[in-house]
Every structure is written in structure tokens, then in C-alpha cells.
Amino acid sequence: MSDSDANTMWGGRFAAGPDAIMEAINASIGFDQRMAAQDIAGSRAHAAMLAATGILSDKDAEAIREGLLTILSEIEGGDFAFSTAREDIHMNVEARLKTLIGEPAGRLHTGRSRNDQVATDFKLWVRDQLDAAEAGIASLMRAFLGQAEAGADWVMPGFTHLQTAQPVTWGHHMMAYVEMLGRDLSRVRDARARMNESPLGAAALAGTSFPIDRAMTAEALGFDRPAANSLDAVSDRDFALEFLSCASICAMHLSRFAEELVIWSSAQFRFVTLSDRFSTGSSIMPQKKNPDAAELIRAKIGRIFGANVALTMVMKGLPLTYSKDMQEDKEQVFDAADNWMLALAAMDGMVRDMSANRDALAAAAGSGFSTATDLADWLVRVLGMPFRDAHHVTGALVALAESKACDLPDLTLADMQSVHADITSDVFDVLGVENSVASRTSYGGTAPSEVKKQIARWTEILG
Ligand code: ARG
């Protein structure tokens, strides 16, 4: 392509083509070609509307429609020569249309601008990603539900500060992630509903004097309505920021579970065994089975949240309406979307494949004086002690067990009575972890009976 070709879109005012460096900094085709399908869908809707409103002849509209379909199949087939000189996906498609159908191609841009065009394309792209995220999150929730069902009543230690706190159930721990992902899902749905207004027809910034029908293009593209302010329509990137915010929060949840998997799969914990399919070996240490997928998921939050910060910084100082800064929105979102989808899929596979080691979980559940709170509660309930006194007595019993290098259930009744004379042998009933978890029947508690109710509720919701 020659310099003069490069200038066909605005060549009337320009005597010379751009410097090579100008072209390099200006062009977005290297990345915005990912929006080709959305660009062509937007142009088809626009052309059909121009014909329906009498702005364009049916004959020209039909030529445009056929030309756009040809271009779509060329792009999908990998037969399209993208040109940097033609800057972006919008101009690449339009220039190709001109080659294919001639003069009518020049009429397609009536009543629109690249400003509303790019906002429309990008919204459609982000909307598709929100739909993909919704499916990915729901699938991962089902994977966690499957784990919860399999071990609804398996005991394990619950932690605070990563110190053994109280026994909980495996099912309860898995269902905690179902709750988190459930909020992620609802955030994705909210974002989709809020963003679903069409910018198309806002034109450069002020609307147009042509009698266009914005409701028609909005409907054709699956939007709920046209955006009500043309200045806002071309300058809004909230939808992209909200997408990145949804992605960041969800990636943070994935990262927390990834961290748990790294800990749990270690030789010191052995709570879970990850499948070979989602682990790697070491080139020097034959015994190693590394949780690389979990570690990479843990790291993904960095680039996803980074994209969120970067785009916020791009947008924060821009006067209305469009500024070329906004072209920097896409790479951030593309990269975050790719990595979010990959992290969701990898976590899905890991959760489905992993096996919980019931015995190791149970052994850990009973260690670390995990039923000390049950003992204190027993002193309150049976001996009528104020909780603060019971806490003190229990602390003394833990210290005694520690000095004897045993756990609480291993103390004798005489040991117990040496700390508090009124303790009876009934106390041993509450020191077992099974009894401990079974007793926590408060709503949302860890008792298997409660966990099973939550499993049933989510199974119904997810259908
Ligand atoms: N490639 C541009 C972008 O991504 C398209 C819009 C260009 N509009 C303009 N007025 N220069 O933002």
C-alpha cells in the first residue's frame, strides 16, 4: 500500500502520509483485529438501518451486506491481509469493502463515526467475554459442589491465621468457594445488564442530522436500548472497567484457593492429591510433583488487577469525549480476559480432578487442640461457668496437654479434675471432632446437616 492509499480516509486535508513512527504508535490493527466479528456485526446492523430509514438504497445496502459477509469469511478463514497503514479494524474492513463493492462502500459510514463504532465493537466484545465468564464460573461452582457432595461430612481443621482453629467439614470448606463464586456470577450478570446500551448512532459525539433509528440498531445487536447521551456513549469505558473489576475479584478468589492447594498438596499437609494432568515434575528431583497450575492461577491476579489499574489511569484525566488515549483500553482488557478464562478453566480441571485425603484431613482435624472451644462451651453449658472463666480453665487444660505432649482427648479425667474439680467424664463426648462439627448446626454452620442443606440449595440454583 502506498502513502496516498493510507490517507484515503481523510486525505482531502492531508498532503503527506504519516511518518513510520507515527504509524507505529497510531495503529491498533495488531490487536483490535480481535474485534473483527463485532465490527462486521455492527456495520451490518447500521447498513440495514440506513436502508430501512431510506438513507441508503436497498441495492447499496445489499451490496454492503454481501461484501461484509465476504470479508467475515475471509477473516475467519485467515485469508485477510490486515494492513497497519489502515490503522485499525474499522478502516481495514471499510477499505476491503471498497475493493470488493466499489462506491457503495463509501456510503456505509453515513450517520456514524469511528468513535461510536469502536465503542460498540468493544462493548460487544466485552459482553461476549462476560457471557463466557458466566459459563466458566458456573462450571467451576459445579466442580466445587461435586467435591462438597463427596465429602460433606469429612472432618478437617478450620484455620484462622493458618493456625488450627476449630474442626470443620470438607464440604463446608468447598461450599465457601461456591458462595464466593456465586457472588462473582452475580457481579458478572449485573455488569452485563448495566452495560447493555448501544453507543451506535452517537456518531462522532453529538449525534447526527440523518434520520437514523438507534432503537433498531440497538435491537439488532442485542442491546436493551440505545445509550441516551451521545457524549457519554462515545466516551464511556465504565463497562470495560467493570469487566476488569469483576475479573479482578473473581481472580482474587481463584488465587486464594490456588494458595490453599499449594499448601494442601505439600508433603507436610497431604490434604489433597492433585492429578498428574494438572501437575508438573522436576528436572532434577525425581520425587517432586509440583502444583504449577495452582501457582500460575495465584499469579494471574497480578496482570488482571494491573489491567484494571492501567485502564483506570488511562481514563481518569480525559476530558469529554473521545481521546486517542482510549485506544489503550483494548490490550489491557484482551489480556485480562484471556487470562481470566484460562485461570477459570484450569481451576475447573484441578478441582474436578483432585482427591481429598480423608484420613490426613481427619488426623489433622483432631490435632492442635482443635476442640478447645468445644471444651470451653461444655464448661459454660454444663457447669454454668461464665465464658471468660471457661476460656481460662480451658487454656490451663491446653497447657497441661501441651506439657504432656498429648491432645485434649488424651488427658485423663484426673488430669482434667486437677485443673477444675467439677469436670466429669461427660466432657470427653465433646472433645471428638465428629461431635464437634455435628454440634455446629447454627444457620451457615459447619455441621454436615447444614452443609447438605446448602449443597441442595446451590444444586437447585445451578440447575
Ligand atoms: N482505533 C481507534 C480506537 O481504538 C478507533 C477510534 C478512532 N477514532 C478517532 N477519532 N481517531 O480507539
Side-chain angles (χ1 to χ4, degrees):
M1 160 177 282
S2 70
D3 278 349
S4 57
D5 279 345
N7 259 328
T8 48
M9 299 294 165
W10 51 73
R13 194 195 191 291
F14 283 67
D19 189 271
I21 298 294
M22 177 59 203
E23 199 170 278
I25 195 172
N26 199 38
S28 54
I29 189 62
F31 49 87
D32 69 13
Q33 57 185 265
R34 288 188 67 169
M35 307 192 305
Q38 289 77 11
D39 192 70
I40 288 168
S43 288
R44 286 183 58 194
H46 186 66
M49 179 278 290
L50 291 177
T53 50
I55 301 167
L56 193 68
S57 72
D58 287 344
K59 189 163 152 286
D60 286 350
E62 183 51 26
I64 288 171
R65 196 184 78 87
E66 281 180 16
L68 289 171
L69 287 174
T70 302
I71 294 169
L72 182 62
S73 67
E74 285 175 354
I75 292 173
E76 284 174 350
D79 295 332
F80 191 95
F82 290 106
S83 150
T84 309
R86 284 175 185 143
E87 197 179 318
D88 58 22
I89 185 62
H90 325 296
M91 298 210 289
N92 268 264
V93 170
E94 193 179 322
R96 178 67 185 144
L97 190 64
K98 179 126 191 274
T99 309
L100 286 174
I101 68 167
E103 192 250 24
R107 300 183 186 278
L108 172 60
H109 216 50
T110 314
R112 79 170 183 189
S113 143
R114 277 191 299 155
N115 296 348
D116 57 337
Q117 193 178 357
V118 73
T120 304
D121 294 2
F122 195 31
K123 258 195 180 182
L124 291 173
W125 196 92
V126 168
R127 197 177 68 185
D128 285 349
Q129 296 299 308
L130 284 172
D131 291 342
E134 182 174 346
I137 293 168
S139 174
L140 181 54
M141 290 173 78
R142 287 194 193 92
F144 274 112
L145 263 180
Q147 285 287 348
E149 261 170 342
D153 56 358
W154 297 1
V155 290
M156 67 178 284
F159 299 93
T160 60
H161 316 267
L162 196 58
Q163 306 287 318
T164 298
Q166 294 173 355
V168 296
T169 47
W170 170 258
H172 199 45
H173 201 115
M174 295 298 105
M175 292 306 290
Y177 283 95
V178 172
E179 294 289 339
M180 290 175 234
L181 291 164
R183 291 193 296 276
D184 292 334
L185 194 66
S186 102
R187 257 185 290 278
V188 162
R189 288 176 178 155
D190 285 353
R192 191 191 195 287
R194 197 162 17 256
M195 72 171 281
N196 208 26
E197 294 186 342
S198 173
L200 195 57
L205 75 164
T208 176
S209 57
F210 290 100
I212 61 170
D213 182 349
R214 292 192 58 210
M216 183 179 166
T217 46
E219 194 186 335
L221 295 169
F223 288 112
D224 295 329
R225 64 193 82 83
N229 182 301
S230 62
L231 303 175
D232 176 50
V234 296
S235 61
D236 165 39
R237 292 295 181 274
D238 293 6
F239 65 90
L241 289 170
E242 214 171 339
F243 173 80
L244 293 172
S245 170
C246 292
S248 296
I249 296 173
C250 180
M252 176 274 292
H253 289 147
L254 301 184
S255 179
R256 293 186 78 174
F257 190 62
E259 167 70 2
E260 297 201 309
L261 286 182
V262 170
I263 296 170
W264 291 357
S265 62
S266 69
Q268 289 70 24
F269 271 75
R270 289 185 194 284
F271 282 8
V272 293
T273 305
L274 300 176
S275 73
D276 290 354
R277 299 198 317 143
F278 287 95
S279 309
T280 60
S282 158
S283 55
I284 180 168
M285 296 166 283
Q287 86 284 9
K288 296 272 300 237
K289 187 169 161 188
N290 295 327
D292 294 41
E295 295 171 270
L296 288 164
I297 291 168
R298 187 173 60 184
K300 292 288 184 201
I301 177 75
R303 64 202 295 161
I304 294 172
F305 194 71
N308 195 357
V309 173
L311 185 54
T312 305
M313 292 305 112
V314 166
M315 296 305 297
K316 77 173 185 63
L318 301 186
L320 301 188
T321 55
Y322 179 86
S323 297
K324 196 62 174 260
D325 311 49
M326 290 160 73
Q327 181 167 286
E328 290 286 315
D329 54 3
K330 283 172 273 305
E331 281 172 294
Q332 300 292 343
V333 169
F334 291 165
D335 183 74
D338 289 345
N339 283 284
W340 185 20
M341 300 310 148
L342 191 55
L344 279 169
M347 186 61 92
D348 196 276
M350 279 206 296
V351 172
R352 281 172 204 276
D353 277 17
M354 73 184 184
S355 50
N357 303 330
R358 188 177 183 174
D359 295 341
L361 290 168
S367 69
F369 315 109
S370 65
T371 52
T373 314
D374 300 85
L375 172 53
D377 287 350
W378 184 89
L379 296 170
V380 170
R381 207 171 43 245
V382 178
L383 302 187
M385 276 188 200
F387 184 79
R388 282 290 155 232
D389 296 349
H391 186 286
H392 190 79
V393 168
T394 305
L397 286 165
V398 167
L400 180 61
E402 204 164 34
S403 74
K404 301 183 96 179
C406 70
D407 276 313
L408 285 173
D410 307 324
L411 290 173
T412 64
L413 184 58
D415 289 334
M416 297 269 187
Q417 289 173 341
S418 73
V419 173
H420 197 287
D422 296 347
I423 296 177
T424 64
S425 61
D426 289 353
V427 77
F428 289 100
D429 289 347
V430 301
L431 298 183
V433 288
E434 305 279 346
N435 287 343
S436 168
V437 296
S439 73
R440 297 224 151 69
T441 53
S442 53
Y443 179 79
T446 200
S449 57
E450 286 304 307
V451 171
K452 284 173 187 160
K453 281 182 205 162
Q454 295 302 330
I455 293 173
R457 181 171 75 87
W458 276 109
T459 305
E460 169 136 10
I461 292 171
L462 288 171

